[in-house]
Amino acid sequence: MSINNNERLDIKPPLWVLLELTHKCPLECSYCYNQLDFVNTKDAMSKDDWFRVMDESRELGAVQLGISGGEPLLNKDIVDIVQRANDLKFYTNLITSGVGAPKGIVKKLKDAGLKTVQLGIQSHDENTMTLITNNKNSYKEKMVFAKEVKDAGLQLIVNTCITRQNIHQVGDIIEFAQSLDADYLEIANIQYYGWALKNINALLPSQEQLNEAKAKVNEYRQKDDAMKVFLVVPDYFAERPKACMNGWGSTFLTINPDGVALPCNTANTLPLDFPNVKENSIKEVWYDSKAFNYFRGDSWMKEPCRTCDERDKDFGGCRCQAFALTGEMNAADPVCSKSPDHAVVTQKIQDSITYSDQKIFYRNRKNSISFSEVR
């Protein structure tokens, strides 16, 4: 492994580690950010491999541990993994669909030391949820799982990814999350990678719909007993890109099921050779690998990022988004109005209006469906 010319940088240790225990998933969400073939990733990490990753990450200074997938509850070692994380004094967060959960698993996870559950709930409406997830059992199973989480005394975070199919339901979704006794609700306008990008014409809301949704959220926040509601605005309607992952290789470390280490969940869509934790220590991965150092600092930047006075705020935006939309991973994020490729984004917005009846493509392609067929 070799480090590039960023040796001079003061690299801080990772604070947040995400274990993607498997890429198997019972759902086929139309907005999934993962690469189109992500389910082909092999579950090559043993329980001892995951233990070593946690041990080394904690020793390095990481304090929060996310447990995700695919669907992490499908990993038979999940209780032992949570127990090890708790023994290491990690703050643990399970990110789950709640679908296909083994009976009694919530109590076992609570007893093992799990602190928080982030549950994806796509709608208050069963038909809409079925449309988005392509799973007819998802609604019923999620409701049972949410109750088990609260009965166990765990913190429940409801996460709702917003698309054209459910954006008009934002007010109802807020009330629904409150009825589940959620500690807070995150309404996340999706990022367009992987299946989401493939389905963008069927999913991307209009600016008017986003404005209405924001108004609903603000109206709810005025209530005295308001649950905390966070609204994540989509990149495509912003003037400037977000500081993706708080900067490449600065805070977040993801380990996927075959042991590949990534600075974000979708980084393996880039033409970089990422290290594998089955062959390298976490310290080597974080500090010494060429891939993790590639976008640290600003020496990689092209114009307009190189001389932009905001480059220390947004770090040039998202590398995965730049590559997905331009084919050039060193390019400025096209959502930025300063980008010479910004017209790609404005065209995507226009196409989503022009071709609004595009079919929704699922991994099980024979079930792909036009939104108009269910309206």
Side-chain angles (χ1 to χ4, degrees), residues 8 85 113 173 200 229 259 276 292 307 319 351 357 365 371:
R8 60 185 173 78
I173 290 169
I200 188 170
V229 178
N276 194 301
F292 271 75
T307 56
R319 297 301 86 223
D351 287 348
D357 199 36
R365 292 170 187 268
F371 187 31

Side-chain angles (χ1 to χ4, degrees), residues 76-320:
K76 62 181 177 60
D77 297 318
I78 188 170
V79 175
D80 291 339
I81 288 169
V82 169
Q83 181 67 65
R84 181 62 160 244
N86 187 62
D87 293 344
L88 291 168
K89 310 299 183 190
F90 273 111
Y91 184 88
T92 48
N93 177 33
L94 174 67
I95 304 166
T96 177
S97 71
V99 178
K103 188 174 181 179
I105 191 68
V106 175
K107 185 178 186 305
K108 291 178 182 178
L109 291 170
K110 169 66 184 304
D111 292 344
L114 184 68
K115 300 297 188 293
T116 301
V117 174
Q118 181 175 315
L119 177 63
I121 292 181
Q122 292 77 15
S123 176
H124 72 295
D125 174 69
E126 186 170 357
N127 290 333
T128 304
M129 189 181 291
T130 300
L131 169 66
I132 294 173
T133 65
N134 197 27
N135 185 305
K136 64 182 180 180
N137 298 318
S138 57
Y139 184 90
K140 294 182 177 66
E141 292 195 35
K142 286 174 185 287
M143 296 308 99
V144 171
F145 189 81
K147 184 177 186 304
E148 289 183 7
V149 170
K150 293 307 297 186
D151 287 348
L154 286 164
Q155 183 182 56
L156 175 64
I157 302 164
V158 170
N159 177 273
T160 299
C161 291
I162 292 297
T163 68
R164 191 182 302 146
Q165 287 70 41
N166 63 4
I167 193 168
H168 60 287
Q169 300 173 346
V170 163
D172 293 323
I173 290 169
I174 292 173
E175 292 181 4
F176 186 60
Q178 193 166 33
S179 75
L180 295 175
D181 197 24
D183 292 273
Y184 64 85
L185 167 67
E186 180 181 68
I187 299 173
N189 283 280
I190 59 176
Q191 302 295 105
Y192 288 93
Y193 314 108
W195 287 97
L197 185 58
K198 185 174 181 62
N199 283 316
I200 188 170
N201 288 345
L203 302 181
L204 185 65
S206 67
Q207 181 70 68
E208 291 73 23
Q209 288 173 315
L210 289 168
N211 291 342
E212 290 174 10
K214 283 191 276 188
K216 281 286 186 184
V217 171
N218 290 333
E219 178 184 333
Y220 172 78
R221 285 171 172 166
Q222 303 307 312
K223 297 182 179 180
D224 292 336
D225 61 343
M227 168 187 60
K228 288 183 180 178
V229 178
F230 299 92
L231 177 65
V232 180
V233 179
D235 287 0
Y236 278 34
F237 295 97
E239 287 294 308
R240 295 287 181 272
K242 296 182 179 72
C244 187
M245 307 306 287
N246 202 39
W248 179 277
S250 69
T251 307
F252 296 91
L253 171 64
T254 295
I255 312 297
N256 76 12
D258 60 7
V260 173
L262 303 166
C264 77
N265 310 56
T266 58
N268 55 347
T269 61
L270 299 175
L272 290 172
D273 185 19
F274 289 98
N276 194 301
V277 297
K278 294 174 73 67
E279 302 162 358
N280 303 278
S281 70
I282 295 297
K283 186 176 182 180
E284 289 173 324
V285 164
W286 187 257
Y287 288 104
D288 301 331
S289 67
K290 183 176 180 180
F292 271 75
N293 281 287
Y294 196 94
F295 292 114
R296 284 174 171 150
D298 57 16
S299 62
W300 60 270
M301 289 182 179
K302 296 183 176 181
E303 294 295 351
C305 297
R306 180 176 290 275
T307 56
C308 179
D309 59 6
E310 297 180 72
R311 68 183 184 278
D312 293 330
K313 298 178 182 177
D314 60 34
F315 313 111
C318 177
R319 297 301 86 223
C320 300

Side-chain angles (χ1 to χ4, degrees), residues 20-36:
E20 294 187 334
L21 298 187
T22 181
H23 277 178
K24 298 183 179 74
C25 187
L27 305 185
E28 298 181 16
C29 295
S30 57
Y31 57 78
C32 185
Y33 60 77
N34 278 297
Q35 59 268 31
L36 302 186

